Amino acid sequence: MLSTDCTDRTASTDPEERPTDSMPLQDLPCFSLQGSMLSHCNRTNKRKSRGCLSEGLDTECTPTELIQQWSPRHKHQRLISKGKENDCNHFVLARRSRRKKDSTSGISWDHLPDELLLKILFYLPLQDLLRMSTVCKRWHRLVFDESLWHSLDLEGLTHMDAALQRVLKTGVRRLRCPRSFMEELHFTVSGSLQMVQMDLSSSIIPTSALESIICQCRLLEHLSLEGLRLSDAIINSLSKNLNLVQLNLSGCSGFSAAALADMLRSCSSIEQLNISWCEFNSDHVKSVINNLSSGVTHLNLSGYRESLMLDDVKVLVERCPHIQTLDLSDSTQLMADSFPVFAQLKNLLHLSLSRCYHIHLAALTDLGKTLPTLCLLDVFGLVQDGHLPSLKKEMPHVSINSRPFSGVARPTPSSRLVGFLNDRTMWNRKCRLRFRL
């Protein structure tokens, strides 16, 4: 049976001795530490002896010698004869010695090795883990061990400035915090971050704060910055992540075509790229087309009505012959003469041409023969509901208009409903620690 050393706890709950580097996470409203455990320890703290005893509680474990030194001495009763009268015939009252209670044998938490405590802490949720960090200095050190902070979900967290700064120092490798809010972040850390996967989609983050995070990343493999305002400094920092495989910059703005070209040339390992609906001009579009890696297999380049031309598609197909998913929706300059160009993509499985209004229905009926490997076709806005059955009859092996939203490089597939059981995954994996509203 495990018995917690209450002396160690009461010392750590004193505000003057509590570690200051744990305060940012504890200041969050949802991380209130007014539980029964702390209140019990606070009441115990008032009853404990003051003075020299408190000086010895600065260490992780209270020394046994110090407790014995400052504990009150046991009262020894004077030995009296068994009878009620002694030799001098004086009548005395003899107090019976109290029966000593059998001490319950147990193992103190202080005797458990760090490895075993880490195993126990591994199964605690985020809020309980943070409460445990206030028990004593040793538990605080163990709670913020990087092995417990491998993956973290902070979706929807407001005012996450101090919390994110503390989390980034734990060595987190997978961070999910879409739709979050941050006012400012003065992030300083020695060395680079260990971040491998990060999702900041649709968050409100100042550009300067985002720069301070991205400039410390060198190991990114999956990154989603959808809907954020970026800068050339951020794009240049991304170019240093040579292992980047999936990149989602959909709806981003604030960076130049030259910085984009340099980043695409450096990140030659990109396989999935979503760069749709950005504030691009024709120079930005050509920077993407002319600098994509040949290893790209999934590309979303939709939303460039007047900027994407047939010649650009020809260059794209020549540079990226292994494309499996291609989304060129809302490219109003494309017509049916682009179909022979698409036919050069021998591995094309999914093609999206929604709202490409210069492509007629009659041309779509021959698309199944032109692209024999095609499995998914999205032509929203081109085919009326009454004509859709006849088109499906012409292409029985192709699923038409089954994917209204693109899932290219997005951390959460668009096919999942909001609030569904698996909508908290990030690139098909859940985070171990999760912030709950």
Side-chain angles (χ1 to χ4, degrees), residues 222 228 230 259:
H222 298 73
L228 303 185
L230 309 181

Side-chain angles (χ1 to χ4, degrees), residues 207-227:
T207 305
S208 58
L210 187 58
E211 287 180 2
S212 63
I213 297 176
I214 299 297
C215 70
Q216 301 289 339
C217 297
R218 296 292 184 273
L219 304 176
L220 285 173
E221 297 179 4
H222 298 73
L223 177 64
S224 179
L225 302 176
E226 183 169 345

Side-chain angles (χ1 to χ4, degrees), residues 69 164 206 214 276 379:
Q69 178 182 355
L164 184 60
I214 299 297
S276 60
V379 285

Side-chain angles (χ1 to χ4, degrees), residues 44 60 81 103 111 212 286 370-371 384 410 415:
T44 308
E60 291 184 345
S81 60
S103 59
H111 296 159
S212 63
K286 293 187 181 300
T370 307
L371 304 174
Q384 298 180 358
R410 283 194 166 124
S415 58

